[in-house]
């Protein structure tokens, strides 16, 4: 073999060996403190299908401050190498701790999602609690996160507060059937007046909303919901609306006298808006013509 061919062959072997050993090169760079270089080598190794390198990739990303890449690396470690799921969960908790300190809510949520994907219950609760303390949760986000956070909260007062927030989140997400027993539980548990006000208002609002949604297809069931709203709160605006709903439900069942009583109760309140009073008065005036259920649509404030 000629000298130039031998040189070319040696060069190809050397290049091929280096290209095939990104993990080793990453280890060398990491040990020398060249973290950015190590991170890139570990990425290359991971792209070649070396699942074991995800732990090193996650650690290098964590140390360089790339928390989102670190979280993704640890999640993939747990998913693709199940015997190392505990190691992956530990890594995700460290990512969550760093994200909490850096106020990186995207990375913190990603760590939560990763832990939940890996089925690490206790760790999920701890990270959920960090998220709850950092963000004002609404709707589906509250319904999604708060059950995990409550499980990690040893303090009864905080649990009661989270329970009420969870119910309010369910209500905002349009899941009042689920929210109703949670509101009732919050009312039974909490001694905090402000939490009781929130739970009572939420429970009444949910009961009224469910009454409205069932009025046309099941007036009898709607009446039960309106009664439930009134049992919780008959003096607020929602309570006055519930009296109108109760009258509509009774009217739909042919109970004209019962409907008149409900409409009159809505009018007679000491605190009632002109809109509610006008709606109730119009219904009372219309009773003389004995309207059918089709004549009364649910009142929308």
């Amino acid at each position: 073999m000629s000298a130039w061919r031998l040189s070319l062959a040696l060069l190809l072997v050397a290049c091929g060996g280096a290209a095939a050993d990104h993990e080793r090169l990453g280890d060398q760079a990491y040990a020398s403190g060249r973290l950015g270089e190590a991170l890139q080598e570990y990425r290359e190794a991971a792209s070649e299908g070396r699942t074991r390198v995800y732990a090193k990739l996650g650690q290098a990303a964590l140390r360089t401050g790339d928390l989102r890449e670190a979280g993704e690396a640890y999640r993939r470690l747990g998913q693709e190498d199940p015997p190392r799921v505990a190691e992956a969960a530990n890594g995700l908790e460290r990512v969550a701790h760093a994200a909490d300190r850096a106020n990186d809510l995207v990375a913190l949520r990603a760590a939560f999602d990763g832990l939940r994907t890996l089925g690490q219950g206790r760790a999920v609760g701890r990270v959920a609690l960090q998220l709850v303390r950092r963000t004002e949760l609404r709707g589906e986000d509250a319904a999604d996160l708060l059950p995990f956070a409550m499980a990690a909260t040893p303090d009864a007062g905080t649990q009661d507060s989270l329970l009420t927030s969870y119910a309010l989140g369910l209500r905002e997400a349009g899941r009042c059937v689920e929210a109703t027993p949670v509101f009732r539980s919050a009312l039974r548990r909490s001694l905090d007046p402000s939490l009781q006000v929130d739970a009572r208002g939420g429970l009444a609002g949910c009961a009224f909303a469910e009454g409205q949604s069932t009025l046309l297809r099941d007036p009898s069931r709607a009446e039960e919901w309106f009664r439930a709203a009134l049992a919780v709160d008959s003096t607020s605006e929602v309570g006055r609306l519930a009296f109108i709903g109760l009258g509509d439900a009774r009217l739909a069942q042919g109970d004209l006298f019962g409907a008149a009583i409900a409409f009159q109760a809505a009018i007679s309140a000491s605190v009632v808006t002109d809109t509610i009073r006008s709606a109730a008065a119009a219904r009372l005036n219309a009773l003389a013509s004995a309207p059918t259920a089709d004549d009364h649509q649910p009142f929308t404030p």
Side-chain angles (χ1 to χ4, degrees), residues 93 112 115-116 120-132 145-153:
E93 282 204 88
F112 167 80
L115 286 164
R116 183 166 58 172
Q120 300 299 295
R122 288 188 177 182
V124 171
R126 288 191 291 269
V127 176
L129 193 56
Q130 288 176 301
L131 273 168
V132 168
L145 283 167
L146 286 169
F148 294 102
M150 283 187 286
T153 307

Side-chain angles (χ1 to χ4, degrees), residues 170-171 174-182 206 210 213 221 225:
L170 288 171
R171 179 189 173 188
R175 296 160 60 181
C176 268
V177 172
E178 297 171 67
T180 295
V182 182
C206 264
E210 287 301 307
S213 69
R221 178 61 176 154
W225 279 114

Side-chain angles (χ1 to χ4, degrees), residues 4 9 93 132 197 242 266 289-290:
W4 73 268
E93 282 204 88
V132 168
V197 168
S289 61

Side-chain angles (χ1 to χ4, degrees), residues 155-166:
D155 174 63
T158 303
Q159 286 179 341
D160 293 343
S161 177
L162 293 180
L163 187 67
T164 304
S165 296
Y166 175 49

Side-chain angles (χ1 to χ4, degrees), residues 5-28:
R5 287 184 178 178
L6 178 60
S7 298
L8 179 60
L10 291 173
L11 180 61
L12 291 173
V13 169
C15 291
D21 205 2
H22 291 292
E23 183 179 0
R24 179 179 61 81
L25 293 173
D27 291 344
Q28 291 174 349

Side-chain angles (χ1 to χ4, degrees), residues 38-110:
L39 182 60
Q40 184 57 42
E41 293 294 345
Y42 290 143
R43 286 173 182 153
E44 293 288 345
S47 70
E48 296 170 353
R50 299 187 185 187
T51 57
R52 69 175 183 271
V53 85
Y54 282 124
K56 297 177 180 180
L57 176 58
Q59 177 64 14
L62 185 58
R63 287 197 59 190
T64 58
D66 193 337
L67 302 181
R68 299 173 198 183
E69 182 169 16
E72 175 63 12
Y74 285 122
R75 182 191 66 79
R76 294 193 66 176
L77 174 67
Q79 284 188 306
E80 299 182 26
D81 195 353
R84 301 179 69 180
V85 69
E87 179 184 353
N90 180 267
L92 282 167
E93 282 204 88
R94 286 188 288 122
V95 170
H97 182 65
D100 189 43
R101 286 184 300 172
N103 198 29
D104 187 339
L105 299 182
V106 174
L108 188 58
R109 180 57 189 256

Side-chain angles (χ1 to χ4, degrees), residues 179-296:
T180 295
V182 182
F183 278 127
R184 287 175 176 156
S185 178
L187 279 173
R188 287 194 301 269
R189 287 171 50 98
S190 180
L191 299 177
D192 186 324
S194 64
L195 291 180
Q196 288 187 337
V197 168
D198 288 343
R200 189 172 291 109
L203 180 56
C206 264
F208 174 75
E210 287 301 307
Q212 290 289 84
S213 69
T214 57
L215 179 57
L216 295 181
R217 68 175 183 272
D218 189 350
S220 177
R221 178 61 176 154
E223 180 175 353
E224 294 177 9
W225 279 114
F226 290 130
R227 285 181 177 276
L230 290 166
V232 176
D233 183 6
S234 63
T235 60
S236 68
E237 181 173 339
V238 171
R240 296 306 158 189
L241 291 173
F243 271 121
I244 294 181
L246 178 62
D248 286 341
R250 287 173 173 173
L251 189 57
Q253 297 173 82
D255 183 3
L256 274 63
F257 182 69
I261 292 175
F263 295 144
Q264 185 60 54
I267 293 173
S268 301
S270 57
V271 179
V272 61
T273 65
D274 290 341
T275 301
I276 294 175
R277 181 176 286 109
S278 296
R283 281 162 165 75
L284 272 176
N285 293 334
L287 283 179
S289 61
T292 64
D294 291 337
D295 292 323
H296 286 272

